[in-house]
Amino acid sequence: MVKATIIGGGIAGLATALFAKQEGLDLPVYERQDSLRCQDNLLWMAPNGLKMLERLGVMDSVQRLATPQDGMIFADESLQTLMQMKGQALESHLGYRVLALSRQALYEVLLEALLQRGGQVHFGHELRQILQDHRGVQLEFANGEKVRTERVIAADGIGSLVRRQIFPESRVRYQGLRTYLGKSVSPVAAKFVGKTIEAWGHGVRFVVTSLDGTTAYWSAIERSEDYVSNSAPLPADLQQRLLKSYAKFHPDILTLIEAAVPESIHRCNFGVVEGLRSYMHGGVCLIGDAAHGMPPNMGQGASLGLEDAQHLVHLLLAGSGEFHVKSDRPRMKRAAQMRQLANAMNVSFQPKSLWASRLRNAVASLIPDRMNESRMVQLYQVPRFLNAQAKLEVRA
């Protein structure tokens, strides 16, 4: 029996415990919060992530809480479509459209499934120190508890304490972009049900969708070389600043900013994890954002975390002793591809000059929808190495 411990009760951590349960492994999860909660914002699940949820047996629950996206639309300031990816195209090739759902809802689905299957989640365990020696790994928590284990799976997010202590050469680099995430209750929300629109301006972008036609969830992305912590207080005049930044946008965008629920707004900086030559060191392995945190442009944060979970459980079943770096190369290659594309979108979708912004719109309007859809079908396929692992585990 492999003894391993998961740090972090987010999507990647819970999914790892669930995949392990399917294979008869009990991997306890230690979560720093007293309960599983997060900011009230949305995530977009692409078909590759949905296939992982299907393998976990939770897709029925997820689909009841999610809204399929008929279109992922890139538009100009006036909301005129420049290019798009139709949901039907993805569904016909991959079996699923992109789904939008509450991040909290997905947490709760995964947690309920894990607990129903006899899994363990230890809340209120904030990790303070992790030490490796010849006997394995020792974890020391803020509440004084100590846990010794053979292996540690670090799913503790982009600010990972495990990564900072075990991989000191790594860092999170701020990319000069930040977003203000919020929600608005307004009749305008009805216009954005079943579609996600990303509107492009000069130096700013605005992303909006709605699950129910009553509440719109949005992201206002701006350029700023000055880094401000996500936890720092928001400017008192933030809504006025946003109205000024988006003054040239469609009236519906301005209505949503004006109707924002003040307490829903929070800051999120775009960062990328750099400096890792491997996600593994001895008995420690990084997964999810702890391993490959990147800008949210590809909407792949949750999906890659779910892929990590299946891959890692396969490695646990196949190996013994320390994690083997070579066995993790397919996952690193996959994450590097997505990170490269997400970084490229920061440059091409949000250029600094007005001239470049106009050129961006002109070029985007010339790209056939079929070309965009074909590219996304390739990217959103489950990688071959994961499909091969799933088939082997089924036969076993």
Side-chain angles (χ1 to χ4, degrees):
M1 179 68 71
V2 175
K3 185 178 181 182
T5 300
I6 300 169
I7 301 297
I11 293 168
L14 294 173
T16 303
L18 276 167
F19 274 119
K21 263 293 181 185
Q22 288 182 335
E23 302 300 331
L25 301 178
D26 289 306
L27 306 187
V29 179
Y30 288 83
E31 164 59 38
R32 65 180 179 84
Q33 297 187 104
D34 293 327
S35 63
L36 206 58
R37 61 184 185 278
C38 65
Q39 294 280 0
D40 183 19
N41 55 15
L42 296 189
L43 55 80
W44 285 259
M45 295 298 303
N48 58 312
L50 297 174
K51 285 290 186 180
M52 297 297 104
L53 294 174
E54 181 182 279
R55 290 174 185 178
L56 287 173
V58 298
M59 264 305 291
D60 287 345
S61 297
V62 169
Q63 288 180 310
R64 285 195 293 269
L65 299 168
T67 300
Q69 300 300 284
D70 297 328
M72 307 292 288
I73 300 166
F74 298 92
D76 61 17
E77 295 170 333
S78 64
L79 298 185
Q80 292 297 307
T81 299
L82 298 170
M83 62 181 185
Q84 64 180 317
M85 178 179 65
K86 296 175 183 176
Q88 180 58 43
L90 286 182
E91 187 175 9
S92 63
H93 287 91
L94 301 176
Y96 290 111
R97 305 181 183 210
V98 172
L99 298 185
L101 76 159
S102 159
R103 182 179 295 272
Q104 181 69 35
L106 182 56
Y107 281 8
E108 292 173 0
V109 166
L110 294 173
L111 177 61
E112 181 180 4
L114 180 59
L115 296 179
Q116 286 180 346
R117 298 172 196 180
Q120 304 173 56
V121 180
H122 302 276
F123 291 106
H125 281 70
E126 181 180 0
L127 185 67
R128 285 294 174 85
Q129 191 170 31
I130 176 171
L131 301 169
Q132 289 200 87
D133 57 30
H134 66 282
R135 295 182 298 161
V137 186
Q138 180 167 292
L139 304 168
E140 298 182 4
F141 296 95
N143 61 8
E145 186 173 343
K146 296 182 180 180
V147 174
R148 180 162 285 279
T149 181
E150 292 180 11
R151 303 181 185 187
V152 167
I153 300 158
D156 51 341
I158 195 168
S160 172
L161 175 67
V162 176
R163 190 188 64 243
R164 298 199 307 271
Q165 291 193 3
I166 303 298
F167 303 84
E169 71 280 6
S170 69
R171 68 183 184 121
V172 177
R173 180 173 62 84
Y174 172 56
Q175 297 187 298
L177 290 169
R178 73 167 57 98
T179 182
Y180 292 102
L181 300 163
K183 66 178 184 180
S184 305
V185 178
S186 169
V188 169
K191 299 182 180 181
F192 301 103
V193 177
K195 58 185 176 182
T196 298
I197 296 181
E198 179 172 312
W200 293 341
H202 172 219
V204 292
R205 288 182 276 163
F206 196 92
V207 184
V208 58
T209 192
S210 176
L211 300 180
D212 58 7
T214 299
T215 302
Y217 291 82
W218 51 264
S219 173
I221 310 168
E222 66 178 17
R223 284 197 168 275
S224 178
E225 298 302 322
D226 298 325
Y227 176 82
V228 179
S229 171
N230 289 340
S231 60
L234 297 177
D237 61 344
L238 177 59
Q239 283 176 271
Q240 287 70 35
R241 292 188 187 188
L242 292 176
L243 287 170
K244 182 177 180 180
S245 297
Y246 292 90
K248 295 182 179 180
F249 278 63
H250 191 280
D252 287 346
I253 303 300
L254 300 179
T255 296
L256 292 176
I257 294 173
E258 290 174 340
V261 179
E263 58 269 23
S264 75
I265 305 175
H266 58 284
R267 180 192 296 109
C268 183
N269 293 298
F270 279 24
V272 61
V273 175
E274 295 181 335
L276 288 173
R277 295 184 178 180
S278 172
Y279 298 151
M280 298 178 171
H281 183 278
V284 176
C285 179
L286 305 175
I287 66 170
D289 285 346
H292 42 66
M294 66 184 75
N297 298 320
M298 288 296 297
Q300 280 288 295
S303 294
L304 287 180
L306 290 164
E307 289 186 3
D308 287 353
Q310 184 201 292
H311 179 60
L312 185 58
V313 170
H314 174 78
L315 296 183
L316 287 173
L317 292 168
S320 61
E322 295 186 346
F323 287 117
H324 297 288
V325 173
K326 290 183 179 179
S327 63
D328 210 31
R329 286 178 180 170
R331 182 168 68 112
M332 292 197 74
K333 182 178 179 181
R334 170 77 163 166
Q337 177 190 34
M338 292 298 184
R339 181 172 59 247
Q340 183 179 15
L341 288 169
N343 290 338
M345 288 180 178
N346 280 343
V347 176
S348 60
F349 287 4
Q350 203 159 349
K352 295 181 180 180
S353 72
L354 178 60
W355 176 86
S357 297
R358 290 172 175 169
L359 178 62
R360 168 203 61 198
N361 288 12
V363 171
S365 66
L366 297 175
I367 299 175
D369 291 344
R370 283 177 293 179
M371 184 179 296
N372 287 322
E373 291 160 358
S374 176
R375 178 59 171 155
M376 290 301 102
V377 166
Q378 293 177 351
L379 290 171
Y380 290 160
Q381 289 180 2
V382 175
R384 290 182 180 178
F385 71 92
L386 289 175
N387 284 331
Q389 290 170 5
K391 291 175 183 177
L392 286 172
E393 286 157 18
V394 168
R395 286 202 297 271

